[in-house]
Amino acid sequence: MSIIGVGIDVAEIDRFQAALERTPGLADRLFLESELLLASGERRGIASLAVRFAAKEALAKALGAPAGLHWTDAEVYVEGSGQPRIRVTGTVAARAAELGVRSWHVSLSHDAGVASAVVIAEG
């Protein structure tokens, strides 16, 4: 196995919230329903959404940031153990396959008004 790509991104949480409020429907273009809602059915908090957005940006960077990737072709989720994961489909899965990506590593954090994510693509 070798590292194919590494991506990192940060998102200012207040700025991200303002973008969501300013642009109706943006959340639905960026996230799957499973990312928008907690297991309880409640809407996920803004810091949690911002860190998922940062992870998708980091994922794109790990893939070389090609044009044509769809935001909803990457799902950021957390396993029961608490470990974050990424699931890819469609345009993102096609690019990953083109590069030979076989697994993903992801780290998420948010504190002091900033959400950050690191994604490593391994093949």
Side-chain angles (χ1 to χ4, degrees):
M1 297 284 261
S2 63
I3 293 175
I4 292 173
V6 176
I8 185 170
D9 195 71
V10 298
E12 184 182 342
I13 296 169
D14 288 344
R15 184 172 172 216
F16 183 73
Q17 182 174 12
L20 291 179
E21 291 170 355
R22 185 176 56 248
T23 310
L26 179 60
D28 292 329
R29 291 195 307 269
L30 295 175
F31 303 108
L32 296 166
E33 185 174 335
S34 60
E35 294 173 302
L36 291 171
L37 302 175
L38 298 168
S40 66
E42 292 179 70
R43 186 146 175 108
R44 190 174 295 280
I46 192 66
S48 182
L49 289 177
V51 81
R52 281 161 173 72
F53 176 72
K56 291 180 183 214
E57 284 278 342
L59 168 66
K61 291 172 183 176
L63 293 175
L69 297 181
H70 298 147
W71 294 106
T72 54
D73 285 349
E75 178 186 11
V76 180
Y77 67 99
V78 178
E79 292 185 335
S81 67
Q83 184 173 2
R85 295 283 187 194
I86 293 178
R87 182 179 299 122
V88 298
T89 59
T91 59
V92 178
R95 176 62 175 170
E98 180 182 312
L99 295 174
V101 177
R102 296 191 320 189
S103 64
W104 302 98
H105 304 275
V106 60
S107 180
L108 309 175
S109 184
H110 51 80
D111 188 31
V114 176
S116 62
V118 174
V119 173
I120 299 171
E122 190 174 42

